[in-house]
Structures are given as C-alpha cells and as structure tokens.
Amino acid sequence: MEWLSAENVVAVGTAVLGIVASGVMVWYERRVPRRKRIGYRVQMDNPIGDDVRSGRANRRLGLFDEAPGMTDATLVLLRIENDGSQSIVDSDYTGRELHGLTAVFTDRTIRGVSVTQPPETDHLMDHFTAAAGLGYEGNTLRIPRVPLNRGDHFKLLVLLSGGDVGREIRLSGGIRDGEVHPNRSATPDEKPPLFSRAARLITITLTLSVLTLAGIVVTRDDTPPPIGCAHGTLTVTGSTAFAPVLKEVAQKYQRDCEGATVVIDAHGSTAGVRELAAAGAQGKGAPPVVALSDGPKPSDMPELRENRIAVSVFALVVNDDVPLKNLSTRDVRRLYRGEITNWRQLGGPDLPVHLVSRDANSGTRQVFQRRVLGRGEIANSSVDCVHKDDPTAPVTRCELDSTDQVLAKVAELPGAIGYSELNAADRAPGLHHLNLDADPPSVDAIEHGTSAYPYREIEYAYTYGRPPADSLASSFLTYLARGNGQDVIRTHGHIPCWTPEGMKLCA
C-alpha cells in the first residue's frame, strides 16, 4: 500500500478536518449565544440532628441541640442560576401556576426557608413574597417567577426534617425557548462553565473518531472479506414489512461482493411466494429468486424450501386523536367484526371508527388475522378510507397496498386504526401504537421471554428447492441470516433467528 494513495490522503484530511471542527465547536460555545437556561445545584446537604443516617458523627451546641424537632433535621443550600446567554424575565416561565419553579426534597419535610443573593442583585429580593408564589408544603417548595440577567443567581437555605442527607432534590419548571437542568460541578463555583459538558463530550468523541478512522484506513489490509461471495443477479421478493432490511442487506452484500446484483421487488408475502412457485414450475432447477414471507407458506407448495430468518413484531396503530393506549384482544376482534363503530364505545372520543387495512397479499394482514383476530377481516366498504361505498356496511374499511400507505392514512384520518411492522410504526408521526391485553409491542420483552404479546411472527425466506451451494441465492441467504445481515436485522427492530434467544423463538 502506498502512503500517498488517494484513500490515505482523504483519511488524513478527514482527521485534520475533525480536529479543526472540534476547535470551531469550542469557539462557538464560548462566543455564540446559547438559549435561555436555568441551572441548579446542591451546594450543601448536611445533617443537624443526631438521628440522620449520613455516616458522619454530629456535634451540636445551643439551639441545634435544644430546639424541638431537630433530631432528624438537615440543612440544604440550593443554588439557582441563569447559566445561559440570554436574560430571563417573568413571562419566560411557562407554568400555569402563580410560581415559576418547583423544588421537591425527596422523603423530607420543609421546616423553613431563607433566601440569599449576591450584593449586586438586591433587586431580586422584591420577588420573594407570598403574593408572588413563594411558599412550601410538605416536601415541595414553590419558587416565584424571578427575573434573572445572564449570570445572576440566588440561593435557598432550606431547613428540613425526616429522611437522610443525599436524597434526590429535583427542580422543575418550564422556560420558553429554554430549559431547567441540573449542574453537575464537583465543587460550588460561582461562574458557569465556559462551554457545556455535551459540547466537551462531542468534541472529544469527534476527535478520537476521526483519528481512529485515519489510522484504520492507513493501516488496513485490502484483502477482500472472506464471506463466500457469488456472482450474478438475484431477485428478492415478498414481504413489504421486511423490505427495509432486505434493501440495506442487499447494498452491503453488493459492496462486499463485486459482480453481484441483488434486486429487491417487495409486493406482499403471498404474491412473492406464489411468484417464486410459478418461476420454479416454468424453469429447470432453482430460479434465482428468494421470497420473504411474514409467516409460513401455504400448504399447497411443498416444493418451496424454508429458511427461518427473524422474528418480526407488528403493532396496531391509531391516530393521535384517539388517546387510548391499550385494547383487549376481545375489543380488537369486536372492532374488526364491525361491532364497534365509534371510539366512545371503548371509552375514547366521539369519533367514527375507520379500519385501514392491507390488501389480501399482505403478510402483515395475514399475521394479524392469524395471531390476533383468529379469523378474516370483514368486507371492504370504502375506496378512499373516508366515505362508505356500501351504506349498509357497519363500519368504514379500506385496503391499501403498502405499510407506508397504511401509516400515512392512519396519521391523516381522525379515528383511523391500522397495523404495521413495529419499527416503521415507531418512526411514523401523527399516530401511536397500542398495547394488547396490557402487553406492549416490545422487541426486548419478547426476546427475553417476559411478554406474551401476540402480534408477532417468524420471517421466512423461501427458495424453490435447495439452491446450489455456490449460487448467489445460497450465499445471500447465509449473509442475511448468519453473517453481517444479523446486525441489520436487529437495527430494524427484528430478532435474528441465529442468536441464542432467536433460536428459541424461531424453533
């Protein structure tokens, strides 16, 4: 490998650019105004009483020893500061209550509060009145809407009883175009940091990453990866729910294996499986086609050979105008039998139900019918999903050709409900998924055996007979199920069958 090759020049240039970018970020943090921010930190949390489990011995004289109720007393000094670059006025506090901020002292009871501020900010004291919202009850302290110039701060000395020192202290409240956040400084310094902790972390990470990249590219071996590549053209058809995985794996395979072309033509599980069977029946030997199916193939196709690839999790999704988070399987079946026509029948809003379904070739639909409904769906009654073409139909139901179309229509149409592969549903705006019988559609819970969530299925890859070992179909399936494809499968929210947990679920 020549040191002055184009690859190495690009890699070293990238490293230099990363270091420059890090310096620019530091300059930006120090020179460019940040948004409005209120920071807080606990500068003191000490025991006064002799019955505080702090791990420290206490010695007391005078009032601390004589006053009643001091056996478990603690003293907290809470500093609240404007550590952004913009001033904060009383109208910047967004809470509906009279006060602006709320401090909660976990497991302790407030006995008294004293407000202190630097000499140059005496004007702040006028805002600490009961009429402005200052007060406390139990473990909660209400703090008024105090205007703070950049760098201003005040401190609250709070006398508490009950609980231990070190218990959580939380400050909450809303700031328009800003935030309230804890400051994690190790010692109480009176000056905000020059740039944020997040900026320091990003700067260090970016610098290390680009330096590592340069080192890898300069020293790497150009030997092709030992993955048993094959050449030619392969068509992968079938499941639209699994299509994002297939597209990414195909791109990776083609990068690793020059001379291979993998075409993804997903248009439904049933259609893909039947297309494979037809191609095999017309030709001699195994055609260069792989069909992905959400669930097993029909029983009348014995010549198709299965490969178990992953466990896919699906979800029922509803428009955000329907605030329900959970449905029982019984209520879902009633919905899809047309027995429930308005969401108020299930405790939801007064909105008509619109069933947005997939076409008959959809594996997602077949899994839903098999795993959740236990039967087929009712007849289609609408073309546009809004108006009934059949006025005698109990509910509006339409069928669409793809997962993306279903998600877009459910998000657009108030009162709509549909179904989708889980990962696609999580990314879609305007809708949310439903728990079934209180079980969430959680990949982690299913993988670890802690959920009985029913709307899931094994993803099968079918070939016509056993493809030759040196064929592109065989090589691609190995790459997908046992090679680099496993990481892609997991990234897209599926559980690979060729992992210890996946083997149990796919058995």
Side-chain angles (χ1 to χ4, degrees), residues 331-332 334-335 337-343 345-346 353 394-395:
D331 286 337
V332 173
R334 292 172 63 206
L335 274 167
R337 287 197 300 262
E339 296 174 5
I340 296 175
T341 60
N342 192 294
W343 286 106
Q345 296 173 250
L346 295 176
V353 172
V395 68

Side-chain angles (χ1 to χ4, degrees), residues 115-129 146-149 151-155:
V115 183
T116 66
Q117 80 289 322
E120 65 272 18
T121 58
D122 288 341
H123 60 282
L124 298 182
M125 192 60 72
D126 295 336
H127 298 276
F128 290 95
T129 65
V146 181
L148 294 171
N149 294 325
D152 280 356
H153 75 274
F154 60 88
K155 299 181 181 181

Side-chain angles (χ1 to χ4, degrees), residues 108-323:
R108 292 189 263 188
T109 302
I110 301 173
R111 299 298 185 187
V113 180
S114 175
V115 183
T116 66
Q117 80 289 322
E120 65 272 18
T121 58
D122 288 341
H123 60 282
L124 298 182
M125 192 60 72
D126 295 336
H127 298 276
F128 290 95
T129 65
L134 179 65
Y136 63 85
E137 182 177 2
N139 67 348
T140 303
L141 172 62
R142 300 182 297 275
I143 304 169
R145 299 168 178 254
V146 181
L148 294 171
N149 294 325
R150 178 183 177 184
D152 280 356
H153 75 274
F154 60 88
K155 299 181 181 181
L156 301 170
L157 186 63
V158 186
L159 177 64
L160 304 128
S161 65
D164 303 334
V165 298
R167 300 291 290 170
E168 182 183 14
I169 298 172
R170 304 188 307 276
L171 187 72
S172 61
I175 301 295
R176 183 174 288 104
D177 297 326
E179 64 178 356
V180 177
H181 69 105
N183 285 331
R184 303 294 186 183
S185 56
T187 58
D189 70 56
E190 298 291 318
K191 186 177 181 182
L194 293 178
F195 51 93
S196 69
R197 180 181 176 186
R200 294 195 299 269
L201 179 61
I202 292 172
T203 300
I204 294 170
T205 303
L206 177 61
T207 302
L208 292 176
S209 296
V210 296
L211 289 175
T212 302
L213 171 65
I216 291 173
V217 173
V218 170
T219 60
R220 71 188 177 106
D221 185 2
D222 284 335
T223 304
I227 58 170
C229 291
H231 308 304
T233 299
L234 175 69
T235 298
V236 182
T237 186
S239 170
T240 59
F242 209 66
V245 174
L246 299 173
K247 290 177 181 177
E248 186 171 342
V249 173
Q251 291 172 357
K252 287 179 176 291
Y253 185 89
Q254 290 172 137
R255 284 199 302 267
D256 290 343
C257 299
E258 293 184 6
T261 300
V262 181
V263 179
I264 307 301
D265 181 26
H267 45 271
S269 296
T270 299
V273 169
R274 295 199 178 279
E275 178 182 318
L276 170 63
Q282 293 174 2
K284 294 182 179 180
V289 178
V290 173
L292 273 292
S293 174
D294 307 329
K297 63 178 174 62
S299 58
D300 60 346
M301 300 180 181
E303 67 278 3
L304 300 191
R305 182 176 181 273
E306 72 176 34
N307 300 266
R308 301 189 181 202
I309 303 298
V311 174
S312 294
V313 182
F314 303 86
L316 277 169
V317 293
V318 293
N319 183 276
D320 279 341
D321 286 342
V322 180

